[in-house]
Amino acid sequence: NSENETIENALGLRVTDYLIKPLNPNQILLSLTKIFRNKEIVNNKTISNYQKSYIEINDKINFSKTIEDWIEVYKSLIFWELEISEIEEKEVYEILFSQKKQANILFADFIEKNYEELLLDNEFLSSINLFKNKIIPEINSDLPTLMILVDNLRYDQWKSIEPFIVEDYKIQSDIIYSSILPTTTQYARNSIFSGLSPVDLKKKHPDYWISEVSEGGKNNYENELIKEQFYRLGKDIKYKYHKITNSKEGDYFLSNLINEKENDLSVLVYNFVDMMSHAKKDVKFIKELASSDKAYRDITKSWFNNSKLKEIIKKAKSLGFKIIITSDHGTINVDKPALVSGDKEISNNLRYKTSRQIHSSKKEAINLKDPSKFMLPSNHLSSCYIFAKDNTYFVYKNNYNNYVNMFKNTYQHGGVSLEEILIPFIVISPKWN
């Protein structure tokens, strides 16, 4: 029986396949091949396709000269990483990993040589101009806009949860933009909401800027920064700001989501992914859960499928919201310790340091003696910064072995890598049946 209802009922009972009369030998052979050799066929096809793309990706890595080139390289690497991680071919995955490692080495060289010039380029889409160039143009009177900033969400993590979102939404825009350095919440997210570089933010709003070595939260004035940015840009936009750090806050936002329709823009900061990578007290437990990028993505998928965020996004569809999903920076798995020394008053991030004086290998770090070149503030007259390249993390001489073992194979951010700098900016609108 070939009627749709019969077939749908059978598939609903999770049959592996179905045959339609009259039968012929080829039909049976194809069905059996699908059942018994499907994984093998998919594996072979995936490997074959990657082999064909390998040389092309290598050429892109070696000859990328612009930030747009590097975005295309990163998209290609993520595409193949997701494809190959599904077929569980360890040898092929290691080849791709070595490609990605080489890409990160050359990308760090590109940033070291070009970052200062990029910051002066109005076409360079970064944390500083994201609101002005991308978010404000999406705000209109037709649909209320919900901006969801998932702290520390990488592009590959977005691609892993995308299939669950496109069930209810169509993607209008899927691009990558650049986080500023250091790739941390204090710098990148404050720049997103203020529309200012860190050095300008400290000058114009000194009360909102908390130095590295001072006590207190570094992102306590995000609502005020958004308000100041709209005023500076001459935009009369009705907005509301929210931050979710636990399930209780998620429940409250979900139950009151209908009230957000009164706003032109609702800004929601969601902190789960960042909390996972910051769980230093439970670092051994986190290392076991997220021992690889695939495991890190799997945790993200599992969390999202059981999260209030998924419920919020589903409910937002029924209320007719356009949604922007983005992040402030990414993160990278570190496995290469680098010895660092400096002044007593030094920042504690593992991927970048700032102080009066800092010493580390030039091979493993970008050394910045003049912070103003990267639009960064100086805490002292002689302040400098260093940024970790590739998979490096900074460790002090004191208690060196203990910290090396503690933080090896953990996820950190603040430095220079494709994973930390190149992050998603997604616009979706409700899909109506």
Side-chain angles (χ1 to χ4, degrees):
N1 188 328
S2 61
E3 290 191 7
N4 286 339
E5 186 179 353
T6 304
I7 294 171
E8 286 178 8
N9 286 338
L11 292 175
L13 294 170
R14 300 183 183 179
V15 299
T16 307
D17 202 357
Y18 60 86
L19 301 171
I20 298 173
K21 295 179 180 180
L23 297 177
N24 65 66
N26 283 336
Q27 187 183 355
I28 298 171
L29 177 60
L30 284 171
S31 185
L32 293 174
T33 301
K34 175 182 173 183
I35 293 167
F36 293 111
R37 293 192 57 228
N38 183 61
K39 186 175 180 180
E40 177 190 345
I41 292 169
V42 170
N43 287 7
N44 290 340
K45 185 65 175 175
T46 301
I47 294 168
S48 174
N49 287 340
Y50 172 60
Q51 286 174 326
K52 291 174 184 176
S53 300
Y54 178 84
I55 295 175
E56 181 185 346
I57 295 171
N58 258 6
D59 287 342
K60 285 182 179 179
I61 290 170
N62 291 319
F63 297 105
S64 286
K65 296 181 179 179
T66 66
I67 192 68
E68 291 79 16
D69 291 341
W70 281 110
I71 287 171
E72 290 307 309
V73 165
Y74 188 48
K75 281 184 173 181
S76 295
L77 290 169
I78 292 303
F79 172 81
W80 284 113
E81 185 171 1
L82 294 172
E83 290 287 302
I84 293 169
S85 65
E86 292 299 316
I87 66 173
E88 298 177 355
E89 287 286 341
K90 187 177 179 182
E91 294 80 4
V92 181
Y93 194 84
E94 286 175 356
I95 293 170
L96 176 67
F97 182 80
S98 67
Q99 265 198 320
K100 198 174 177 183
K101 190 173 181 65
Q102 177 65 9
N104 263 326
I105 291 169
L106 295 181
F107 179 66
D109 291 342
F110 169 80
I111 290 295
E112 186 169 14
K113 292 173 185 174
N114 298 282
Y115 186 67
E116 182 181 355
E117 187 178 334
L118 282 170
L119 288 174
L120 299 173
D121 183 357
N122 292 329
E123 299 299 314
F124 174 54
L125 186 61
S126 72
S127 313
I128 299 168
N129 57 23
L130 186 69
F131 243 88
K132 179 182 177 181
N133 292 353
K134 285 294 176 183
I135 295 169
I136 291 176
E138 292 293 341
I139 301 170
N140 58 59
S141 57
D142 296 334
L143 293 174
T145 300
L146 172 62
M147 174 191 170
I148 302 172
L149 189 149
V150 184
D151 196 355
N152 218 351
L153 183 73
R154 302 193 323 188
Y155 188 68
D156 63 327
Q157 289 174 297
W158 153 249
K159 297 308 283 187
S160 69
I161 65 173
E162 178 186 3
F164 308 117
I165 292 175
V166 295
E167 293 173 2
D168 299 301
Y169 288 85
K170 56 185 176 183
I171 295 178
Q172 292 185 320
S173 179
D174 181 341
I175 66 170
I176 285 176
Y177 85 97
S178 299
S179 171
I180 61 164
L181 293 175
T183 46
T184 62
T185 303
Q186 176 183 2
Y187 291 86
R189 202 160 83 203
N190 277 334
S191 281
I192 290 172
F193 290 140
S194 68
L196 299 169
S197 67
V199 69
D200 287 335
L201 175 56
K202 185 181 178 182
K203 285 178 185 176
K204 293 189 177 185
H205 305 291
D207 293 343
Y208 298 161
W209 181 264
I210 308 297
S211 72
E212 295 274 353
V213 294
S214 300
E215 295 294 326
K218 305 297 193 283
N219 292 80
N220 290 339
Y221 301 100
E222 293 173 346
N223 188 25
E224 292 84 352
L225 291 175
I226 297 170
K227 183 179 179 180
E228 292 283 351
Q229 179 170 190
F230 284 153
Y231 177 78
R232 194 175 64 253
L233 295 174
K235 299 293 182 181
D236 183 18
I237 294 173
K238 186 179 180 182
Y239 82 95
K240 200 162 185 182
Y241 166 87
H242 307 268
K243 183 185 287 187
I244 292 177
T245 57
N246 55 56
S247 59
K248 185 178 179 181
E249 292 170 347
D251 282 330
Y252 180 81
F253 183 83
L254 181 64
S255 62
N256 290 279
L257 184 57
I258 190 169
N259 298 328
E260 298 299 317
K261 290 188 71 175
E262 299 173 5
N263 305 315
D264 301 316
L265 175 69
S266 299
V267 177
L268 176 63
V269 173
Y270 215 100
N271 264 0
F272 170 80
V273 178
D274 191 59
M275 286 191 293
M276 182 170 66
S277 70
H278 275 305
K280 291 184 174 67
K281 290 181 181 178
D282 303 307
V283 68
K284 290 183 180 179
F285 177 63
I286 296 297
K287 282 170 74 171
E288 287 295 322
L289 283 178
S291 58
S292 66
D293 283 352
K294 183 181 185 302
Y296 198 56
R297 287 190 297 271
D298 287 344
I299 291 175
T300 306
K301 282 193 285 188
S302 177
W303 158 74
F304 179 77
N305 269 327
N306 297 280
S307 71
K308 290 297 172 188
L309 181 58
K310 185 178 180 182
E311 292 182 48
I312 289 167
I313 290 173
K314 277 192 170 291
K315 187 172 181 180
K317 178 200 172 184
S318 65
L319 295 173
F321 278 89
K322 176 198 286 187
I323 297 181
I324 296 169
I325 300 174
T326 191
S327 186
D328 47 2
H329 57 78
T331 187
I332 188 170
N333 189 296
V334 296
D335 64 4
K336 188 168 64 175
L339 193 62
V340 65
S341 61
D343 190 80
K344 288 182 180 179
E345 201 174 77
I346 191 170
S347 58
N348 59 13
N349 186 284
L350 295 176
R351 288 281 291 167
Y352 84 94
K353 299 288 181 186
T354 180
S355 185
R356 288 187 180 91
Q357 55 179 324
I358 315 168
H359 305 288
S360 186
S361 167
K362 289 184 178 180
K363 183 180 177 183
E364 294 154 336
I366 294 175
N367 292 271
L368 181 65
K369 293 183 179 179
D370 181 2
S372 66
K373 288 186 175 182
F374 283 11
M375 296 188 179
L376 297 173
S378 298
N379 294 319
H380 308 282
L381 288 175
S382 57
S383 284
C384 56
Y385 287 75
I386 60 171
F387 304 97
K389 300 178 182 179
D390 191 22
N391 296 74
T392 301
Y393 61 108
F394 295 128
V395 185
Y396 301 116
K397 189 174 182 179
N398 294 341
N399 218 359
Y400 177 83
N401 289 329
N402 181 47
Y403 282 103
V404 165
N405 294 329
M406 181 183 296
F407 292 109
K408 186 173 184 177
N409 201 34
T410 62
Y411 284 86
Q412 305 295 334
H413 56 269
V416 180
S417 68
L418 294 162
E419 292 93 329
E420 291 164 287
I421 291 180
L422 302 184
I423 45 181
F425 181 86
I426 315 300
V427 181
I428 57 177
S429 59
K431 186 188 292 180
W432 305 114
N433 296 329

